[in-house]
Amino acid sequence: MEVAYRELTLGIAALYDDPETRSGGLAAVDRLVHLGQYALGVPGMALAELHGEGGRIIAAAGTAAWAIGRPLRPHVVTTACRTGAANYRLELNEVDPDTADQLAAVGTPWVLVHRVDVAGAPVALLAAFFTVDGSADPDRLAVMTLLGTTVAQFYREGAGLPVQSAVEAPELADRDLFIAVTSHELRTPVTVIKGYADTLRDHWDQLDEEARREAARVIGQRTDELARLVDRLLAASTGTAVGMLRPAPFDLLTALRQAAAGLPADLRRRLWLELPSTLAPAHGDRTTIATVLTELVTNAEKYSPGSEPVVITAAEEGRTVLFRVLDRGIGVPPDQSHRVFDRFWQADSGDGRRYGGAGLGLYLVRKTIERQNGWVSLRPRDGGGTVAEVRLPRGDGKRDAAASGEA
């Protein structure tokens, strides 16, 4: 297939002409990855941002879409990030077995990598997945260089990039923010609970049976919210996030059904399960699925006004099994889709924000899943809304060293 030079030229021109992407950021590199996939005629393409000793896939297209949000461990970055020429070929036996098998399953025998450097140091890796063995011709090498240079320019300008932090904020700095945020979030349910309890105590005889039941319902609901918030705060403040995990093979479909059945009635009414009849087992801690699903469904419902259903689906791809929570809510801007997993991040910050929460839920979801050698990502849903996707290693033997904690 010939390089689509015309489409490439027009696409880059349009990228700089669009106010959403001309200044860089995640939306810009995501568009570049999709444009590069088309121009090169390859089935998949991805961009991994490096931070600290590791990294994370922040943009992907085609057959590489499964990797969005996947963390790169230090030894993988060391293997994939070479010195010398910026473009180089990466063989499947040079990456971790999980990635190698996933790529082989979609017919990719090798990967062309472009190391993106800024000020003499690598900041990202651009990867194109080829289906035909051999080497890249000069035209494709030139396209990789053009794309990589464009990405590097965005990083040099610093507008919205990097999207990942190398390290979390210092604990001392976190402490003041922790107290400021949580003092408000804890006070809200406590105030409501006390108000309804005082009403029952002082006006019991004046209330009819329906009013009493409603007060008791609100007290119970707010108490549940308070308990969940306290659990999140304790986990986040101690840094353990999820306590002790016991990974093992388990039936993800059963875990999802049981977790959905245990949701509050107001959430269950909006839930729509579209699960397959069979699914490969997952490898992880089954007890965490209820917490993860509750957080994702609660988040979807909170940001989805109206009566549109929140949909849960599941599937298996290569050496992973996954489930998705889909909504038709307000969505997350593409350039913010990775920040939602930061501790204390809020979709609408400030005194006038419409939605409650301490900004810990998705942070703990990511911590929980990544400690099980899986990963989680958010992306816009076609037609509006958000897709939250959670992936775990397969539990039927098709797992790599990462499943035993070596990756």
Side-chain angles (χ1 to χ4, degrees):
M1 178 179 175
E2 295 294 326
V3 170
Y5 279 117
R6 182 175 185 275
E7 290 78 3
L8 179 64
T9 303
L10 293 175
I12 291 180
L15 184 146
Y16 280 103
D17 192 49
D18 189 338
E20 182 183 359
T21 56
R22 67 170 58 135
S23 298
L26 187 57
V29 295
D30 181 70
R31 185 182 293 189
L32 270 177
V33 165
H34 283 79
L35 180 61
Q37 180 210 354
Y38 179 81
L40 290 168
V42 294
M45 199 161 190
L47 179 71
E49 183 177 81
L50 307 181
H51 54 85
E53 296 181 345
R56 190 179 298 278
I57 307 294
I58 62 170
T63 56
W66 61 275
I68 291 179
R70 188 174 195 259
L72 301 183
R73 294 172 175 82
H75 79 273
V76 176
V77 173
T78 300
T79 300
C81 193
R82 298 176 180 170
T83 59
N87 291 318
Y88 46 88
R89 173 176 171 141
L90 193 67
E91 307 293 344
L92 295 194
N93 61 9
E94 296 181 274
V95 298
D96 60 279
D98 180 55
T99 301
D101 282 2
Q102 195 84 34
L103 294 175
V106 294
T108 298
W110 64 285
V111 179
L112 178 62
V113 176
H114 179 92
R115 188 188 65 252
V116 180
D117 292 336
V118 173
V123 298
L125 296 172
L126 183 66
F129 305 139
F130 283 77
T131 55
V132 179
D133 203 1
S135 59
D137 57 57
D139 284 358
R140 284 173 172 77
L141 292 176
V143 171
M144 288 292 287
T145 299
L146 173 61
L147 295 172
T149 301
T150 305
V151 172
Q153 180 61 35
F154 286 142
Y155 274 92
R156 277 192 292 271
E157 293 172 353
L161 294 170
V163 299
Q164 296 290 304
S165 299
V167 294
E168 292 187 356
E171 291 304 317
L172 186 60
D174 272 350
R175 189 178 305 160
D176 292 338
L177 181 58
F178 182 89
I179 292 173
V181 173
T182 58
S183 61
H184 168 73
E185 300 302 339
L186 285 170
R187 189 182 301 115
T188 300
V190 168
T191 300
V192 174
I193 291 169
K194 186 178 185 304
Y196 274 92
D198 289 347
T199 298
L200 288 175
R201 181 195 63 199
D202 298 336
H203 304 286
W204 180 271
D205 293 336
Q206 287 80 33
L207 299 174
D208 58 24
E209 183 66 18
E210 182 179 354
R212 294 171 187 164
R213 288 184 179 276
E214 175 62 14
R217 184 193 69 78
V218 173
I219 289 174
Q221 180 187 50
R222 291 293 185 163
T223 301
D224 289 341
E225 292 175 3
L226 182 60
R228 286 196 297 269
L229 179 58
V230 169
D231 287 343
R232 293 174 194 161
L233 297 177
L234 289 174
S237 63
T238 60
T240 59
V242 291
M244 296 299 294
L245 299 178
R246 297 175 177 82
F250 70 94
D251 184 347
L252 180 60
L253 292 178
T254 299
L256 289 172
R257 291 190 182 100
Q258 292 177 346
L263 291 171
D266 57 332
L267 292 182
R268 292 201 308 271
R269 281 193 290 269
R270 293 192 63 180
L271 212 56
W272 188 348
L273 300 183
E274 294 184 354
L275 301 178
S277 57
T278 61
L279 188 68
H283 190 274
D285 190 329
R286 173 177 176 159
T287 63
T288 65
I289 296 301
T291 301
V292 169
L293 186 70
T294 298
E295 188 60 48
L296 295 179
V297 171
T298 300
N299 213 54
E301 193 275 339
K302 180 168 66 174
Y303 293 102
S304 300
S307 58
E308 285 283 345
V310 175
V311 182
I312 299 176
T313 65
E316 58 188 74
E317 290 183 5
R319 291 172 63 136
T320 65
V321 292
L322 62 97
F323 69 91
R324 299 183 178 107
V325 177
L326 306 92
D327 66 58
R328 289 296 185 192
I330 62 175
V332 177
D335 61 346
Q336 299 290 313
S337 61
H338 281 72
R339 289 195 61 210
V340 298
F341 297 103
D342 291 348
R343 186 160 36 169
F344 303 123
W345 187 86
Q346 291 287 347
D348 52 336
S349 58
D351 295 337
R353 62 190 181 94
R354 296 165 292 170
Y355 307 103
L360 293 172
L362 291 178
Y363 164 80
L364 293 178
V365 165
R366 169 170 277 183
K367 289 291 186 182
T368 300
I369 296 301
E370 290 189 355
R371 287 189 62 195
Q372 300 174 65
N373 297 296
W375 67 96
V376 60
S377 62
L378 254 67
R379 62 178 182 272
R381 184 183 181 186
D382 292 342
T386 301
V387 178
E389 181 176 283
V390 176
R391 288 180 179 260
L392 287 168
R394 289 173 65 120
D396 55 0
K398 297 182 178 180
R399 295 184 292 112
D400 67 342
S404 61
E406 298 173 19

